[in-house]
Every structure is written in C-alpha cells, then in structure tokens.
Amino acid sequence: MILVNDVTKAYPTRAGQVKALDSISLEIAQGEFVAVRGPSGSGKTTLLMAIAGMLRPSAGTVKVGQQDIYELNQRDRAAFRAKNIGFVFQMFHLVPYLNISENILLAPRVGGEDNRSSEAARLLDQLGLAGRATHKPAELSAGEKQRTAIARALLNRPKVILADEPTGNLDPDNADTVVKYLCDFQRGGGTVVVATHGPAAEACATRVIHLRDGRLDEAH
Amino acid sequence: MPISNWVPDHMSTIKMILKELWHRKVNFLLGVLAVATAVAFFVAFQTAARASNRETARLMLSMGYNLHIIAGEADVGTFLMTGVASETMPEAYVDKLANQKNISYNHLSATLERQIPWRNLQVILTGLAPEICPPGHKKPPMIFQVDPGTAYLGYQLAHQLGIKKSDTIEVNGTSLKVVKCLTESGGMDDMRIQCHLADAQKILEAPARISEIQAVDCLCFVEGADPVEILRREIGAILPGTQILQAKSVADARAKQRQMVYKVFGVMLPFVIVACGVWIAVLTVMNVRERQTEIGLLRALGYGTGKIGGLFLGKALLIGVFGAVAGFLLGAGLSLGFGPEIFKLTARTTVQPEWSVFLRGLYTAPLFAMVASFIPVMFAVSYDPATTLREE
C-alpha cells in the first residue's frame, strides 16, 4: 500500500546539511495501523509529510498504491492526496470562520459525488457532533475539535489516514476516543499511520516503528 | 430536523470569502477604506477639474478674446495701438475657420470696426456677428449677442450725450435702438457703439467685409512649443495672407488658471494612489500571515494554487467593489459639499456626480485592489504546507 524506499530529506543550514530523514525504507500494507514513535525532532512529522506528498524527499521514492506520488505534478499530487489520503493534525487546524459542518465539507470534492452533505451529517452523528454542526471551532472543546478533524479526514473515504500526534493536545478520555475512531477506520480496511509520543495509539497498532535522528531505530 | 438539512454540500470559494470577510471585519473595512480613499480622491479630482474649467471660462470672459486675426494688408502697429484694424477682409473667412475640424481655437467672433466721427465725437463703431464654434466644439458664447437694429452704448457716450436705454440713435442714416448703456469700463469700450455686424457693414458701406476675427485659442497644455507658431501655421493654411496676433497675457492667464487644478492633483493623485496601494498590500500581507495555517491546511487537503489564490484575490475584488461605491459616495459628497464654496459662479451646473467616473471606478478599483494584493497572494500560494503545518 505504502512503499517508502530509501528516502532522505536533507535541509541545508549554515552548519551544513541536516538530515531530517536518513535513508528510510518502509513498507506498510493495506489495513495496517502503524504507530511511528520517537522523540521530538526524530523525523516523525517529516515522514508523514513525505508520505502525504507534501514534502519532496531529497532522495528516494514514495509510492502510495502503485503511484509514485512525486512523479505527479503539483496539481495531480494535490488531487491524488484529496482522493486517497486523510490528514489529522495535533493542532486540529480547523478554519476559524467556518462552522463545524463547513469545516468537514472543506475536504475537496474528488468526484461527482452528490451525497456529501448526508455523508457529513452521518459523520457528525457518528462522531457525536450532531449538536455542534453550526458551532464555530472556538466554541468547541479540544476533543470535539479533533473529532471534527477526523470527520473531515474521513469525508472522502480515503484509503489512508495520516495522523500527526492526534492525541497530543487531548486528555486521556478524549485521546482514547480519537484512537477508537482511527481503529474503526483501520478495521474497515483503511490504512493508518500515526506519529505519536505517547502510548495511546499503540493499543490499536499492528506495528510500532521507532525513529531516532531521522533513521529507523532497529534497537526496538 | 435531519442534520443534512442544515449541512451545506461543499465550500465554494465565494462562500469562504464571504465568511472570512465577516469573520475579519476590521481587515476588510480597512481595505475598503484604502480603496475608498483613492477613489474619493479621484472623483473629487475629476469633479474639481471639470468645475475649474468652467469656472475659469467664466472668469476669463472679462478678459476677452486672446486671438486676433486681421487682414494681411492691415497695419499691425496701428492695430496694436488702437485696437482697430485698418483694412478689411471677406466675412466668409470666419465661416471658413468655423468649418474646420481638429483645430486649436474656438469662440469665433467676426467684427467690423472703424473709428468714425459722430455727434462731434470720435467714436468706435463695432459690428458684432454672433459667435460661432467649429463642429464638435459647441460652447456657450463668451460675449453678449447684439440683435440687428439695436445697439449697446459705451458709458462715456451715453453719459456725455445724455442717451438712455430705449432711445433711438441714428448713425450715418441707420437707426439703432439702444438696448443697453454699458457700465463704465475705464477703457475704449466707453467710447464704443456696438451693433450687429450687418448694421455696421451698412453704416460703413462695407458689405460682406470684416476687419477682425476674434477667437480663443485652446493651447493651454502645449509643452515645448510656441502656441503662436502653431496657430499661425494652422490658421495660415486656412486663411493665407492673414495676420495672427495672440494677446499673450490673456492666453497665459487662461493657461495658468486651467493648469492649476491639474498641477495640484497631478502631484497629489499618484502619491495617494501609491499610498493606498501600499496600504492594501500591507493589509493583504497581514491577512496572509494570519491565515498561514489555513493555507497549509488547504494544501494538505488537496486544494491547488487556483483555489488559494482565488480566496485572496476574490477578497481583494470585493474590497475593490465596495471601495469603489464607498469612494464615489465620499468623493461626490465632498464635491457637492465643498464645491459651491470653491466654484461660486458655476457650481450649480458643474459640481455634479460624475457617473462615468463611478462606472470606471467599478472596474478599475477592484483591479487596483487585486494588483496591490498580487505579490502577497503569490507568497501565500507558494507557502510550503509542510513547513507551515510543522511550525504549528
């Protein structure tokens, strides 16, 4: 499903090149739930961005499905991402001037589907946000914000969800709820890659990988 | 009520723009204010320029014509000293001039003048033809029109001879009814009998002849060229053999007065427009910075450059439209409020809302706002979403 092949991401600095990812190779099968652990600065977010097609590697290739996503031009890569990949962030990243249902519908149309509003309503209901549909993000709790972000990620029924510290700003109860939704997605056949500091996501993980200084840490 | 009833189908660009405007009202209103300032200044400039031109024309009536065309055989020295040409030329000359297109003069008035003895006095008899304008240059006449069989009498003549309005005078066998005794001018006009050209031609036994064509030149804005030379070349080609004299002090006064408004606004307008452009650009930079995360998110969700650029340029377009309307109302309001104080003679007819400027503003102001926002928007669409979202 996801094939990361010898990927390096280097940034030039005054002190020389810094490698955020250093020759990472990784294969993730469809239906896997992979937890990526590692300390801050280990390259977890960079790896997710590279898999999402938002950060071109300095070397190596990334395939999602059969598609080498960096062979696509920017526009096609954006369309590919909209159709196949859902993203959940630690900071939720909801648009402050849109209400909750509008934030969910911000996920772009990827085809001629005409049932988006009923799908959004179903997700609101499923994620316990039905009474919050017309509220602005500022009026929601952190848990509700993250559930909104998950609903947005799920709207287009993606094949993959990439989650960057999705429980990082949540209390344990809300963290468990968010992990539960990600598990549900995985049980439905989706692939989940979660970058995480803590152990919350590991309960559902089919595999845990460790990063340190941009490299896979084989010691774990 | 089912939830799907109040869940929209998707987020269109225009819907997002309107919601963002409502969310960040201050940023929007400051943008509108910037465009409105530029538009208001431009509207005020246009209105003032038009009013100033008319006001100047009115004020210059008292200064008279600045262009004199006399017969080639006339003695220039005598004309300059007495104001009366010694020789005549065909009356048809004035029609020839009046029928030209693309010319640099207007307000053509044919006269026949001669100094004659009358009731033991030396007087100037002046026959005036109705003023005519070349095609496409129709303007209200600069001087009064004298009907056939009537006369305007100079102050000294009326005073010394005890002639009053409605009296009938006889000049070389032609009767003229005095319709007006003019107020004292302190010049040659005080010793002038002004009648219709046809009456003067009859009195002076000079049928179809005139001694002078008076006009106003329109060369206020010629730079780097001598207006007299241009006029001599132009008129000389139409009426070969005539002599063209320009009253420079009158012409210069007209030119200076008319250029004054253009000079004042010419200096200020670019400054105001640039300042307002920078103002809008700064507001867009602030807006872009504030929305960095949103831009990164849209990128991450799969939106392309067009959608993100459209959000900002669409906002600029709306700022331009609202600014154009507000600016026009402001500019027109200021013009109508202060115009009558400045242009006392002509304000009632010339200080009016310029609807053509409003229509022009409706498409130039949005364009102006979009151009001013363009560079910040280009930065916005080129943000690296990975960097933006990671920094958060």
Side-chain angles (χ1 to χ4, degrees):
Chain A
M1 179 66 202
I2 298 171
L3 185 61
V4 179
N5 186 24
D6 202 20
V7 164
T8 295
K9 180 64 187 178
Y11 295 99
T13 67
R14 287 183 182 174
Q17 280 209 331
V18 171
K19 288 183 176 174
L21 295 176
D22 191 357
S23 301
I24 297 271
S25 289
L26 185 64
E27 191 170 348
I28 299 169
Q30 185 177 345
E32 268 201 279
F33 190 123
V34 176
V36 183
R37 295 201 63 178
S40 291
S42 59
K44 301 187 297 294
T45 300
T46 305
L47 177 62
L48 291 192
M49 295 285 182
I51 293 172
M54 290 196 288
L55 194 65
R56 183 181 288 278
S58 311
T61 57
V62 177
K63 283 188 177 179
V64 177
Q66 296 302 309
Q67 181 65 54
D68 182 339
I69 53 177
Y70 291 101
E71 276 185 352
L72 298 171
N73 63 30
Q74 197 177 7
R75 174 186 287 213
D76 291 344
R77 201 159 62 239
F80 181 85
R81 188 162 57 240
K83 186 175 182 184
N84 295 290
I85 299 172
F87 222 116
V88 180
F89 304 91
Q90 180 180 358
M91 300 300 293
F92 326 124
H93 293 326
L94 302 179
V95 177
Y97 54 85
L98 300 180
N99 66 29
I100 298 315
S101 60
E102 290 164 345
N103 263 288
I104 293 170
L105 285 156
L106 204 54
R109 281 176 181 273
V110 291
E113 72 276 60
D114 54 4
N115 58 346
R116 283 165 60 86
S117 56
S118 57
E119 177 66 6
R122 189 187 67 74
L123 286 168
L124 281 166
D125 203 24
Q126 185 187 330
L127 291 162
L129 295 164
R132 299 293 209 175
T134 57
H135 288 230
K136 293 281 173 62
E139 298 163 347
L140 301 188
S141 69
E144 287 170 326
K145 285 179 187 171
Q146 196 59 297
R147 277 183 274 151
T148 305
I150 290 172
R152 183 178 62 200
L154 292 172
L155 183 69
N156 283 336
R157 299 177 184 269
K159 295 184 177 70
V160 179
I161 283 189
L162 304 174
D164 188 9
E165 306 276 8
T167 59
N169 279 331
L170 302 180
D171 60 61
D173 285 349
N174 274 309
D176 289 343
T177 306
V178 164
V179 170
K180 175 186 164 299
Y181 290 127
L182 294 176
C183 288
D184 288 346
F185 174 75
Q186 181 248 338
R187 286 193 200 100
T191 305
V192 179
V193 183
V194 180
T196 178
H197 274 303
E202 288 182 18
C204 284
T206 56
R207 184 157 44 128
V208 179
I209 61 173
H210 294 263
L211 283 181
R212 181 174 291 278
D213 298 331
R215 288 175 167 272
L216 283 177
D217 190 350
E218 307 290 350
H220 285 83
Chain B
M1 188 197 298
I3 298 166
S4 57
N5 281 9
W6 31 268
V7 173
D9 180 54
H10 70 287
M11 289 314 297
S12 67
T13 303
I14 184 67
K15 203 184 287 180
M16 288 183 72
I17 291 169
L18 293 174
K19 282 183 171 283
E20 200 272 333
L21 290 188
W22 188 249
H23 183 72
R24 298 192 176 96
K25 298 179 198 73
V26 174
N27 181 284
F28 173 66
L29 290 175
L30 286 173
V32 169
L33 186 62
V35 176
T37 303
V39 172
F41 203 85
F42 188 72
V43 168
F45 166 55
Q46 290 287 328
T47 310
R50 192 179 70 160
S52 173
N53 274 344
R54 282 294 298 141
E55 189 86 352
T56 302
R58 276 290 197 80
L59 289 169
M60 291 300 149
L61 285 180
S62 60
M63 299 181 78
Y65 298 95
N66 63 26
L67 192 63
H68 305 275
I69 303 161
I70 58 176
E73 307 80 29
D75 181 64
V76 175
T78 305
F79 178 76
L80 291 175
M81 283 190 290
T82 62
V84 179
S86 55
E87 302 296 333
T88 61
M89 54 191 174
E91 185 183 348
Y93 275 18
V94 72
D95 296 321
K96 240 174 145 179
L97 280 181
N99 289 329
Q100 303 300 315
K101 288 178 182 168
N102 303 320
I103 38 69
S104 309
Y105 51 80
N106 203 350
H107 295 284
L108 294 162
S109 174
T111 63
L112 177 63
E113 277 185 317
R114 198 166 297 167
Q115 190 175 322
I116 58 169
W118 185 65
R119 296 196 188 176
N120 300 321
L121 293 170
Q122 285 294 315
V123 304
I124 300 168
L125 180 73
T126 302
L128 294 169
E131 190 180 288
I132 49 177
C133 298
H137 291 71
K138 184 73 182 160
K139 295 267 178 75
M142 283 178 60
I143 59 162
F144 52 82
Q145 309 290 306
V146 186
D147 293 331
T150 66
Y152 281 50
L153 223 57
Y155 173 80
Q156 282 298 336
L157 282 178
H159 185 70
Q160 286 183 31
L161 300 173
I163 301 170
K164 294 184 178 58
K165 183 181 171 186
S166 299
D167 287 351
T168 298
I169 57 173
E170 193 167 292
V171 185
N172 287 0
T174 300
S175 294
L176 300 170
K177 185 180 179 186
V178 177
V179 293
K180 192 166 189 179
C181 295
L182 299 172
T183 54
E184 188 170 10
S185 71
M188 283 164 54
D189 283 348
D190 289 347
M191 294 298 289
R192 199 184 294 272
I193 300 170
Q194 301 187 76
C195 61
H196 191 270
L197 177 65
D199 290 331
Q201 286 170 338
K202 186 178 165 195
I203 293 166
L204 299 174
E205 295 176 341
R209 304 294 290 181
I210 56 175
S211 55
E212 183 187 351
I213 299 170
Q214 297 177 325
V216 175
D217 78 62
C218 311
L219 293 171
C220 299
F221 302 106
V222 174
E223 291 210 5
D226 184 357
V228 185
E229 284 308 313
I230 295 173
L231 288 164
R232 283 180 179 152
R233 201 167 49 241
E234 205 171 82
I235 296 170
I238 304 161
L239 304 177
T242 54
Q243 302 181 81
I244 294 103
L245 305 165
Q246 191 198 37
K248 266 194 134 4
S249 57
V250 177
D252 288 350
R254 282 180 66 89
K256 279 176 186 166
Q257 176 70 21
R258 296 183 76 161
Q259 286 172 355
M260 191 176 69
V261 169
Y262 290 96
K263 276 184 179 167
V264 170
F265 280 92
V267 170
M268 292 176 71
L269 193 60
F271 175 77
V272 170
I273 286 176
V274 168
C276 291
V278 171
W279 181 354
I280 292 169
V282 168
L283 287 171
T284 308
V285 168
M286 288 167 61
N287 193 235
V288 165
R289 286 181 67 86
E290 197 176 1
R291 297 171 70 184
Q292 267 185 358
T293 311
E294 181 190 333
I295 295 165
L297 171 73
L298 293 174
R299 282 273 192 225
L301 290 175
Y303 285 104
T305 302
K307 171 87 174 185
I308 296 167
L311 286 175
F312 288 93
L313 290 178
K315 181 179 181 177
L317 186 140
L318 282 179
I319 284 173
V321 171
F322 279 90
V325 174
F328 180 78
L329 293 176
L330 184 66
L334 287 173
S335 300
L336 292 172
F338 293 106
E341 286 298 312
I342 301 166
F343 306 107
K344 292 183 189 298
L345 297 176
T346 58
R348 205 165 53 85
T349 53
T350 57
V351 181
Q352 300 286 339
E354 294 261 1
W355 296 108
S356 61
V357 176
F358 176 63
L359 293 177
R360 252 188 294 162
L362 273 184
Y363 63 82
T364 52
L367 197 65
F368 168 67
M370 288 166 80
V371 168
S373 302
F374 188 75
I375 292 175
V377 171
M378 286 301 102
F379 277 113
V381 298
S382 61
Y383 274 152
D384 178 358
T387 308
T388 311
L389 296 172
R390 200 164 34 195
E391 280 170 357
E392 289 292 320

